[in-house]
Amino acid sequence: MIAKVIVDVPSRQTDRPFDYEVPKDMQGWLEVGSRVGVPFGGRVVQGFVVAVAETAAVDSKKLKAVAELLDHTPPLSPDLIQLAEWISDKYCCPLTIALQAMIPAALKGKAETTVTLADDSRTVFIESSEWAEYMRRSGGSVKLSALQEKFPLSANEVKAAIREGALLERVAIRDRLSVKKMLTVFPPGDRNEALEALAGLPARAAKQREVLRYMIDHEQPITMQELVDLLQTTSGTVRALAEKGFVVIREVEMDRDPYAGREFQRTAPLPLTDEQKAVFAPIAEAIDNRDSRVFLLHGVTGSGKTEVYLQTIEHCLQLHKQAIVLVPEIALTPQMVERFKGRFGDAVAVLHSRLSNGERYDEWRKIRERRARVAVGARSAIFAPFDRLGLIIIDEEHESSYKQEESPKYHARDVAVQRARQHGAAVVLGSATPSLESYAAASRGGQAAELAGRGSALLPMPVRVGGRPMPPVHLVDMREELKNGNRSMFSRQLHQSLASRLERGEQSVLLLNRRGYSTFVMCRSCGYTAQCPHCDISLTYHQKARTLRCHYCGHAEITPTVCPSCESEHIRFFGTGTQRVEEELSKLFPGIRVIRMDVDTTTEKGSHEKWLTMFGERQADVLLGTQMVAKGLDFPYVTLVGVIAADTSLHLPDFRAAEKTFQLLTQVAGRAGRHELPGEVVIQSYNPEHYAIQTAQQHHYAAFIQEELRHRRYMSYPPYCRLILVTLSHEQLPLVIAEGEKLAGLLRQAVSEAGLSASSEEGTTSRFMDILGPVASPIPRMKDRYRFQCMIKYRGNVDAVGMLKRSVRSLAGSNGQHQVQIGIDVDPQVIL
Ligand code: ADP
Ligand code: ZN
Ligand code: ZN
C-alpha cells in the first residue's frame, strides 16, 4: 500500500504529492484525509494523505515509509481534500496551505523525539552513565528533550549512542494540545453499601461524612473543583474517601464549551409573514431536491432575514441534513449566537476567532462526531467537517472579511458555492446591501451577470416586518455648520437629537466611520478631496514626504496648503479618534454615560460581549464606536443613530470606497427603531451630494447600484472585470523592480500571444486582459522588504490564473527558485 502525501513544506517546489510506503500495522487505519508524520529532507514533517494506491510512481523499493499515523480518525474527509485542491488551484497557493486552513490550530503538530535503549548486548558501553541509569529507571524510553534538559553535559555521549545504535530514535509529531481533562468524583456504585460505610465513619471525620452524604444523595459525577467549592472542603478529604473505596476519582475528558453555564431561552418558530413565506419556499425546495442553487436574499434591515435563516435550517435538520451559517467576525456577538442557540440548543457549534485553540478544537470535534448539526461561525467555519450538508447561509454577504487576507487568500462566498456543489446543498447569501458582484450575478439576463459567470436567484424582501417604517435620515452639511461658526464635531441637529434622547432616557449609537489608518486630504470649506488624475481614486497622504500618492498607478504630488478648488486654507488631512469624540461628548453633556468600542477597548477576550451586554441593560446612554457598532445589533431602546463623518471611508484609495460607504451607512441606520419606538438617523457629511450618501439617506439601494455599476463599467472594475494582484518583494529594491518588469513583460507577451485585447473600451469588449504596473505597493516597504505590484484585469473566457502561473514559472531561475518572493491575490478585496 502506497500513500500519496502532501508534506507541510509550503513552497512551489514541494507542492505535489510524495509517495510513501504504508507499514503493515498502519494499513487498517490509514485513509485519505489521515494526518501522518513522514521523513522528508532529513527530518520528520507532518503531511496529509491525499490518495492511496497499490503501486508507486517510482521503484517502490526505494520508498521511505510513513513514520507515524497522527490520528485514528482522519481529520479531513475526501470531499474536503477535493475542496482544498480547488482552492489551491483557484487562488494559486500550495495545497498544504489550503489543507492546513481546514483543521483547527490545535492539530498543527510539532515534532518530538523519543529515544529507547536498544538490546542489552549493545548497551554495555553506556552502562555506567547517569543518563542511561535514568532511562532504565524510566522504563527504557524517554523524550530526547528530557535527556537534554537533565544531562546537558552528556550531549556527545547521547549522540554517540544514537550513532552506534545503542539508543533508538523515534520522531513523532505531537499536537499542540490534547483534550482538556478534569478530575471528577463518581458516586459510590452501591447505595446500600455506601450508607453502611457512612454509618461506619467515625464522628471526627465530619467532613468525610458530609462529602459521602452528598455523593449518596446526588448520585451524579461532579468535578473535584465544584465539590470542594460547594462543600467548603479539601481535595484531601475526597481522596481519603476514595482510598477507602467509597467514591471513585478519575480524569474525565471535558468539552471546553465557551457557552457552558449560559442559559439560552428556547424560542419557537414565528409564523412567517407572506414575504418570508415567498422566499422560504424556493430555498426549501432546493434543499429537498439536493439542488445546489445560490439565492441572494436581499432584505432591508429588519425585514426578518434571520427568521428565514432559522426556519430553512429547521427544514434542513428535519431532513437529517446539516447547515453552516457564516456571519462576519465582528457580528458574532452574543446576540447573534443567542438567536441560533435559542432555536437549536446544543445542536449548534460556534466557531469564532476569540475562542482559545482548545475551545475551537472542541467545537470542531462536536461537529465531526455529529453531536452538532449547525455550525455558526466566521469565515473558516465554511470548512466545518460535516458530511451531509443541506444548506449554507452567508449573512451580510457583502462583508469584505469573508475574504482571507493571508494565504490561502480564499473568499468564503466562492468556497461556499463550491462546497455546496459537492453536497447538493443550497446557498443563501443574505444582505440589505448586496455586493455588486453578487447583485450582478443575481440580476437575470444582465451583462454583468454573464460576466460574473455565475447565475443565482434574487429573493427580495423590501419592507420591514410588521410594516415598521425605515427610520428617517437627516443629512447635515458640515460645510454649512462651519460657515455658521460651529467648529464642533457635532452639528446642531445631532446635538439636539442627542439631548432629547438623554431627556427621554432612550439610547443612541454613534458611529465614527474610520476604516484602516489611511488618511486623505480634504477641504473643510468646500469638501474638495485630492484625486488621482489617472485613476479616479483619492490620493493618500504620506506624512513623511508630505506628498499625496496614488496607490494604483504611483502618481505623486505635493500636498496643497490652500484648496485648489476654493482657495480656502481649511484644507488638511483627516482622521478623528473615538477618544476625542468621547471627550467632547462629556464636555457637551456632563454626566453622560458612554461606552466606547474600538480596537483599544475590545482587545481583551470577552470585552466585546461585556460592553454590549452593559449597553443592552441600559447602563449607558451612548454606544460610541467604529465599524463594530454598525453590525447586527438589535436593541429596542436605540432610537437615534448618529454618523460623525460619513466621508472618511468615501475617499479611501479603493474602487470599492463608495460601495463600502453606502453599505456602512445603510447598516448603521438599520440599528435605529427596530422595535416599537420609532427611530431617527443623523448623518454628518462634507459631501452630502455624493450619490453614495444621497442614496443611503433615501434607503434606495437600487438607485445606488445603478450609479455605481455605471462607474465600474466606465472604469472597468469588478463586476465588469476580474482582478488579480501580484506582489513581489525582496530586501533589494533594484531586484524587485527588475523582476517586476520581467514578470509584467512575460504577462504582456502571453496576452498578445493569446490574441487578447488589452483594453476594455468602457466595459464593452467581451474578452480582454490588461497588465498594470509594476508600481510600488501601497505599503512600499514591509519588514525591511521592498514591495512592488502588478494588477491583472481580465474578463470573459480567459485563463488568467493559468497564464500567470506559467509566467511566474518562467521567471524562476534554472534551479526552479525565485529571486524575489511572489504573492498572488486572486479577486482581491483590499487593495490599500
Ligand atoms: P434582519 O435580520 O432582516 O435585519 P431580523 O430577523 O432581525 O431582521 O428581524 C427584525 C425583527 O422582526 C426582529 O425583532 C424579529 O424578531 C422580528 N420578526 C422577524 N420575523 C417575524 C415574524 N414572522 N413575525 C413577527 N416578528 C418577526
Ligand atoms: Zn475648498
Ligand atoms: Zn493613479
Side-chain angles (χ1 to χ4, degrees):
M1 185 178 178
I2 306 295
K4 298 193 178 288
V5 177
I6 293 289
V7 293
D8 188 16
V9 181
S11 77
R12 289 198 176 88
Q13 286 87 1
T14 52
D15 190 22
R16 62 177 179 87
F18 290 87
D19 285 356
Y20 288 91
E21 197 189 304
V22 183
K24 277 258 152 24
D25 61 336
M26 261 182 228
Q27 292 190 357
W29 293 96
L30 187 139
E31 297 171 49
V32 169
S34 288
R35 203 163 50 110
V36 290
V38 291
F40 191 85
R43 56 204 173 108
V44 172
V45 301
Q46 185 174 299
F48 284 99
V49 178
V50 293
V52 289
E54 305 235 313
T55 51
V58 293
D59 183 4
S60 60
K61 282 199 193 78
K62 285 186 197 142
L63 283 188
K64 290 183 182 141
V66 174
E68 197 186 10
L69 181 64
L70 291 169
D71 324 83
H72 283 96
T73 314
L76 291 174
S77 52
D79 69 303
L80 281 174
I81 288 188
Q82 233 179 48
L83 189 65
E85 283 164 350
W86 181 85
I87 289 174
S88 154
D89 199 48
K90 175 173 162 72
Y91 296 102
C92 292
C93 73
L95 184 51
T96 181
I97 290 187
L99 292 166
Q100 293 288 350
M102 294 180 166
I103 58 165
L107 288 183
K108 286 161 199 167
K110 85 179 214 274
E112 189 178 272
T113 308
T114 309
V115 284
T116 309
L117 287 172
D119 295 344
D120 288 0
S121 57
R122 313 188 76 170
T123 57
V124 182
F125 86 106
I126 52 173
E127 211 128 62
S128 55
S129 59
E130 255 178 71
W131 58 267
E133 192 47 46
Y134 166 79
M135 285 191 69
R136 271 183 214 105
R137 279 202 313 275
S138 316
S141 257
V142 296
K143 285 180 201 150
L144 191 54
S145 55
L147 279 191
Q148 274 168 2
E149 240 167 67
K150 286 190 169 37
F151 308 98
L153 298 178
S154 310
N156 283 337
E157 245 182 280
V158 173
K159 276 192 222 158
I162 292 172
R163 232 178 9 251
E164 297 292 325
L167 270 185
L168 303 178
E169 204 182 14
R170 206 172 69 89
V171 183
I173 289 164
R174 288 288 146 253
D175 293 339
R176 289 229 182 99
L177 51 85
S178 51
V179 280
K180 180 177 168 187
K181 291 186 178 143
M182 289 275 263
L183 272 187
T184 304
V185 186
F186 288 79
D190 185 313
R191 195 180 151 85
N192 287 332
E193 253 176 51
L195 284 171
E196 252 171 59
L198 182 64
L201 278 175
R204 63 191 149 76
K207 271 292 173 193
Q208 286 187 32
R209 294 177 64 107
E210 200 185 328
V211 171
L212 188 54
R213 179 86 250 170
Y214 178 91
M215 293 307 295
I216 294 170
D217 289 349
H218 288 80
E219 296 181 332
Q220 291 285 331
I222 179 171
T223 67
M224 178 71 93
Q225 193 62 51
E226 280 175 287
L227 186 61
V228 166
D229 288 348
L230 195 70
L231 301 180
Q232 293 291 301
T233 180
T234 63
S235 60
T237 308
V238 186
R239 281 184 206 285
L241 279 175
E243 268 157 34
K244 291 174 189 146
F246 299 155
V247 296
V248 175
I249 303 176
R250 250 197 308 129
E251 282 205 315
V252 172
E253 282 188 9
M254 294 295 211
D255 266 344
R256 279 151 292 209
D257 181 354
Y259 297 94
R262 285 266 309 266
E263 291 284 325
F264 290 96
Q265 205 177 352
R266 291 306 281 259
T267 62
L270 299 169
L272 293 179
T273 63
D274 288 345
E275 269 202 325
Q276 287 171 323
K277 277 186 201 151
V279 301
F280 174 88
I283 300 170
E285 194 186 314
I287 298 171
D288 290 343
N289 298 339
R290 305 200 58 223
D291 184 357
S292 54
R293 280 186 80 182
V294 180
F295 298 95
L296 178 60
L297 180 57
H298 178 204
V300 297
T301 55
S303 60
K305 294 186 290 294
T306 313
E307 190 60 34
V308 173
Y309 301 157
L310 291 168
Q311 297 203 19
T312 46
I313 294 169
E314 179 78 60
H315 186 79
C316 197
L317 297 186
Q318 279 163 5
L319 297 170
H320 304 287
K321 292 184 178 188
Q322 304 135 344
I324 294 176
V325 185
L326 299 188
V327 295
E329 181 70 54
I330 211 162
L332 258 179
T333 57
Q335 270 199 328
M336 197 66 179
V337 170
E338 207 163 326
R339 292 178 83 169
F340 288 90
K341 287 255 186 190
R343 194 64 60 86
F344 306 113
D346 289 337
V348 178
V350 180
L351 299 159
H352 60 73
S353 69
R354 284 182 306 260
L355 299 181
S356 69
N357 279 352
E359 287 169 343
R360 232 186 130 73
Y361 175 54
D362 288 341
E363 293 293 296
W364 180 83
R365 251 186 350 151
K366 230 156 88 178
I367 298 167
R368 199 183 58 180
E369 290 163 11
R370 304 211 180 110
R371 286 178 287 137
R373 298 193 293 151
V374 180
V376 178
R379 183 177 60 223
S380 64
I382 194 59
F383 303 124
F386 284 126
D387 55 355
R388 280 173 59 85
L389 266 177
L391 178 64
I392 302 176
I393 292 168
I394 305 187
D395 189 31
E396 312 283 6
E397 68 86 29
H398 59 275
E399 278 287 319
S400 55
S401 64
Y402 285 126
K403 178 84 190 318
Q404 177 151 301
E405 293 305 327
E406 63 261 25
S407 193
K409 298 182 179 177
Y410 68 91
H411 199 301
R413 191 173 53 208
D414 295 328
V415 175
V417 172
Q418 187 63 21
R419 190 149 194 225
R421 266 187 209 143
Q422 295 178 317
H423 287 252
V427 179
V428 175
L429 309 176
S431 176
T433 52
S435 64
L436 267 82
E437 285 91 335
S438 295
Y439 189 82
S443 45
R444 226 159 299 170
Q447 188 201 12
E450 232 170 84
L451 297 174
R454 59 190 162 104
S456 49
L458 185 63
L459 304 175
M461 293 210 292
V463 296
R464 284 187 159 181
V465 172
R468 275 173 211 140
M470 297 302 286
V473 180
H474 310 285
L475 200 48
V476 181
D477 187 338
M478 292 303 277
R479 298 168 300 192
E480 291 297 321
E481 293 289 313
L482 190 67
K483 265 189 214 150
N484 288 312
N486 179 9
R487 289 173 168 271
S488 149
M489 60 179 83
F490 294 98
S491 60
R492 288 157 300 171
Q493 164 104 48
L494 185 52
H495 185 269
Q496 213 170 56
S497 296
L498 275 167
S500 72
R501 290 310 172 297
L502 287 172
E503 224 163 77
R504 295 209 292 263
E506 295 170 3
Q507 294 179 298
S508 309
V509 169
L510 282 184
L511 171 79
L512 185 74
N513 178 9
R514 190 175 178 186
R515 208 170 134 244
Y517 286 93
S518 174
T519 45
F520 62 97
V521 167
M522 187 169 78
C523 171
R524 301 231 316 170
S525 300
C526 77
Y528 163 89
T529 53
Q531 302 274 313
C532 173
H534 311 294
C535 300
D536 197 15
I537 262 155
S538 303
L539 295 172
T540 298
Y541 179 65
H542 286 242
Q543 193 148 22
K544 254 201 176 143
R546 295 192 158 268
T547 53
L548 294 171
R549 293 232 175 104
C550 171
H551 282 172
Y552 278 8
C553 71
H555 170 86
E557 54 188 67
I558 303 289
T559 309
T561 48
V562 293
C563 174
S565 169
C566 76
E567 305 195 332
S568 157
E569 285 174 6
H570 291 294
I571 184 160
R572 54 187 175 95
F573 60 95
F574 228 71
T576 331
T578 42
Q579 215 165 349
R580 267 192 56 204
V581 180
E582 189 182 11
E583 282 163 20
E584 182 134 345
L585 272 174
S586 312
K587 250 186 258 158
L588 293 173
F589 307 100
I592 192 171
R593 299 169 305 163
V594 180
I595 289 176
R596 177 161 65 92
M597 264 177 47
D598 54 28
V599 280
D600 296 335
T601 65
T602 53
T603 42
E604 206 176 299
K605 190 176 168 179
S607 53
H608 202 240
E609 285 81 351
K610 189 182 76 189
W611 296 129
L612 292 178
T613 307
M614 277 176 67
F615 191 63
E617 289 167 354
R618 299 172 78 189
Q619 294 185 48
D621 308 303
V622 173
L623 177 65
L624 161 68
T626 49
Q627 269 60 354
M628 47 181 102
V629 301
K631 314 280 158 71
L633 306 181
D634 188 14
F635 296 111
Y637 291 95
V638 171
T639 60
L640 172 67
V641 167
V643 180
I644 309 275
D647 317 288
T648 26
S649 61
L650 204 50
H651 305 299
L652 291 177
D654 182 340
F655 70 87
R656 289 191 179 90
E659 182 185 1
K660 297 282 165 229
T661 304
F662 175 81
Q663 285 165 349
L664 183 66
L665 295 179
T666 306
Q667 291 296 335
V668 74
R671 301 307 114 211
R674 295 168 67 85
H675 297 258
E676 274 77 50
L677 295 170
E680 166 189 44
V681 181
V682 178
I683 295 178
Q684 305 187 150
S685 168
Y686 290 92
N687 292 266
E689 65 284 344
H690 192 284
Y691 65 94
I693 293 175
Q694 287 284 329
T695 51
Q697 182 203 12
Q698 298 152 10
H699 304 289
H700 202 340
Y701 177 82
F704 168 75
I705 206 108
Q706 221 176 357
E707 183 65 21
E708 182 66 12
L709 280 172
R710 214 174 56 76
H711 277 250
R712 298 283 179 91
R713 181 171 164 160
Y714 180 67
M715 295 304 295
S716 194
Y717 276 124
Y720 292 97
C721 73
R722 305 184 64 172
L723 302 177
I724 304 175
L725 183 67
V726 187
T727 307
L728 302 95
S729 70
H730 194 269
E731 285 97 0
Q732 292 166 28
L733 183 59
L735 190 62
V736 181
I737 298 174
E739 291 293 289
E741 294 287 358
K742 232 188 271 173
L743 181 62
L746 285 164
L747 282 165
R748 288 194 178 104
Q749 194 185 329
V751 169
S752 80
E753 276 167 15
L756 285 167
S757 148
S759 103
S760 67
E761 282 154 32
E762 289 189 22
T764 50
T765 352
S766 61
R767 276 175 94 230
F768 89 98
M769 178 158 161
D770 192 9
I771 315 298
L772 307 178
V775 295
S777 296
I779 306 170
R781 197 161 73 135
M782 227 176 172
K783 291 178 187 159
D784 288 323
R785 298 176 71 88
Y786 290 93
R787 293 147 47 91
F788 263 70
Q789 66 185 36
C790 293
M791 181 79 84
I792 302 174
K793 277 186 175 180
Y794 67 102
R795 181 168 65 223
N797 184 20
V798 173
D799 180 22
V801 170
M803 284 156 85
L804 174 60
K805 278 183 185 164
R806 285 189 289 278
S807 301
V808 165
R809 221 175 294 137
S810 28
L811 192 67
S814 52
N815 58 355
Q817 304 257 3
H818 286 107
Q819 287 184 283
V820 296
Q821 199 174 312
I822 300 173
I824 295 170
D825 191 353
V826 178
D827 300 336
Q829 282 292 312
V830 178
I831 307 186
L832 279 182

